[in-house]
Amino acid sequence: MLSRVANLIYWTARYLERAENTARIADVNAQLVLDLQSRQAADDPRSWGPLVYVSGGDDRFKELYGTSTTERAVIEFMLFDRRNPSSFLSCIAQARENARCIRDQLAGEVWEELNTFYLKLKDDDYVRYAQIGSAEYLASLRRRVQMFYSVADSMIPRTQLWWFFELGRFLERADNTTRILDVKYFMLMPDRTQVGSALDMVQWASVLRSCSAFEAFRQSRRGQLSLERVIDYLVRDTAFPRSILYSMLAAREALAQITQGRFSTEELPAAALLSDLERELQESVAKEIITAGLHEFLDDIQVRIGNVHAAIQDTFVHYATSGARVLG
């Protein structure tokens, strides 16, 4: 398999997952703002500013929009602005371009699903978002990405191509779950005394719903909804497919399928980095994470996922040609 093809399908999956999670992060923020039950708070720019920060695009946002973190500015930046390389539209456009470059490797239905989605999306703007309503519009974006995943799942053979797709998807998913949790961390509470209150629980329920985890959480972790229990579920659960630990396990499985045991530990630093992160997640305790600082914990995971990504690129894309080996 050509490293160019591996890199393109890996990034196709990352862009699609990033797009879906951008919609999820915007949705959780919109729901949290509504849950404040105050029109003044809903219009408060401080309600939308944290969204830009946790997405990692605050410098680019200030460059394009200044300090005006209104709902309209943030939604345009995160969903429709092509000048933002991580906006929903930019991610879908990049995924489509990558898929076009390897179109001969994909089933026709896979390409058509992605191409049709892009063509319908490319003219959308904030006006259409506002006309339809944030909840319905963002849900429709998520459904279209999930439809693509369904087609890809039933059409792509389980070869190296598929496992590089899975590797990109689950690395990106783990990173984005940390960012969804961070949205809640940065969301301004009306009063610190409301931490642990009914309003706080409603907001954590919104976070779970934005990860499509509310019903699964109720079935798995019976009892009262609380900060500690939600953190434990979204960080450490091994059965829920959007938890950080599950995503790490899935990424390691994809890496194992790609290499088939043909790399030594020294030759595959990404596997060692994934194993270290998995072990620490399994040994972590939600209460201790919160006490030590949830934001710092999530920030550390994002950095380490970035290290795994860099190691994958060094091994499979930017390797020295002398002594290179053939996979697949």
Side-chain angles (χ1 to χ4, degrees):
M1 182 180 197
L2 295 175
S3 63
R4 182 183 69 85
V5 175
N7 196 37
L8 286 168
I9 195 68
Y10 170 83
W11 273 108
T12 298
R14 291 205 67 156
Y15 281 127
L16 285 164
E17 189 68 27
R18 188 173 301 176
E20 183 187 355
N21 281 283
T22 296
R24 288 180 182 277
I25 290 172
D27 188 40
V28 69
N29 201 71
Q31 290 191 41
L32 290 172
V33 170
L34 290 175
D35 289 339
L36 290 176
Q37 297 178 331
S38 164
R39 190 58 203 163
Q40 183 179 357
D43 288 338
D44 191 335
R46 291 174 300 176
S47 299
W48 289 92
L51 196 61
V52 177
Y53 179 80
V54 298
S55 71
D58 44 334
D59 290 339
R60 185 62 174 154
F61 180 86
K62 288 176 184 173
E63 183 183 331
L64 296 173
Y65 294 85
T67 56
S68 177
T69 53
T70 62
E71 177 182 3
R72 178 165 191 153
V74 172
I75 289 297
E76 285 185 344
F77 177 74
M78 295 198 64
L79 296 187
F80 308 114
D81 197 332
R82 289 177 184 269
R83 298 171 297 175
N84 172 16
S86 294
S87 74
F88 189 94
L89 178 56
S90 294
C91 288
I92 296 299
Q94 285 292 334
R96 172 182 175 269
E97 179 60 20
N98 283 6
R100 187 188 65 76
C101 293
I102 52 172
R103 192 172 169 181
D104 61 325
Q105 307 271 333
L106 301 173
E109 291 89 340
V110 175
W111 161 253
E112 287 168 14
E113 183 65 33
L114 185 52
N115 189 44
T116 302
F117 180 27
Y118 169 75
L119 294 175
K120 288 185 176 178
L121 175 72
K122 66 185 180 69
D123 294 324
D124 281 7
D125 55 18
Y126 181 81
V127 174
R128 179 169 172 74
Y129 163 90
Q131 285 174 340
I132 294 176
S134 62
E136 188 174 341
Y137 183 81
L138 294 168
S140 71
L141 295 185
R142 294 202 308 270
R143 280 197 298 272
R144 288 307 302 259
V145 176
Q146 289 161 1
M147 283 175 63
F148 175 84
Y149 283 148
S150 298
V151 173
D153 185 65
S154 60
M155 296 289 174
I156 298 179
R158 270 37 177 183
T159 60
Q160 306 283 344
L161 191 76
W162 171 257
W163 294 114
F164 271 108
F165 183 86
E166 288 287 271
L167 182 59
R169 176 159 68 152
F170 282 103
L171 272 187
E172 187 69 30
R173 181 173 294 180
D175 180 87
N176 281 281
T177 297
T178 67
R179 296 181 191 276
I180 289 174
L181 284 169
D182 232 7
V183 171
K184 175 64 174 72
Y185 176 86
F186 274 106
M187 190 67 197
L188 297 178
M189 290 291 293
D191 190 322
R192 281 185 173 275
T193 59
Q194 294 202 36
V195 174
S197 67
L199 175 59
D200 196 31
M201 292 184 191
V202 167
Q203 292 187 343
W204 280 112
S206 296
V207 172
L208 286 171
R209 288 193 178 93
S210 293
C211 293
S212 303
F214 186 72
E215 290 78 10
F217 173 87
R218 286 295 194 197
Q219 292 169 6
S220 171
R221 311 290 171 96
R222 300 178 189 280
Q224 194 172 22
L225 194 155
S226 67
L227 164 65
E228 191 175 312
R229 292 163 61 84
V230 172
I231 295 298
D232 186 64
Y233 188 69
L234 291 179
V235 171
R236 300 182 62 253
D237 195 84
T238 55
F240 180 61
R242 303 199 77 85
S243 82
I244 297 170
L245 180 56
Y246 182 98
S247 298
M248 290 292 96
L249 293 168
R252 187 160 63 83
E253 170 62 18
L255 193 58
Q257 291 287 344
I258 291 167
T259 58
Q260 296 285 322
R262 285 173 285 185
F263 283 71
S264 66
T265 304
E266 292 74 20
E267 292 174 312
L268 198 60
L273 291 169
L274 279 170
S275 295
D276 288 345
L277 187 50
E278 280 173 33
R279 185 175 59 256
E280 289 186 31
L281 289 172
Q282 287 168 337
E283 294 172 353
S284 63
V285 178
K287 189 174 182 179
E288 294 175 1
I289 292 172
I290 296 164
T291 302
L294 177 59
H295 172 67
E296 290 73 14
F297 173 79
L298 297 172
D299 206 33
D300 179 61
I301 292 178
Q302 290 166 17
V303 170
R304 296 173 70 173
I305 291 171
N307 293 338
V308 173
H309 164 74
I312 289 168
Q313 293 287 300
D314 289 342
T315 302
F316 297 109
V317 181
H318 306 303
Y319 55 84
T321 53
S322 59
R325 65 188 67 186
V326 177
L327 292 176

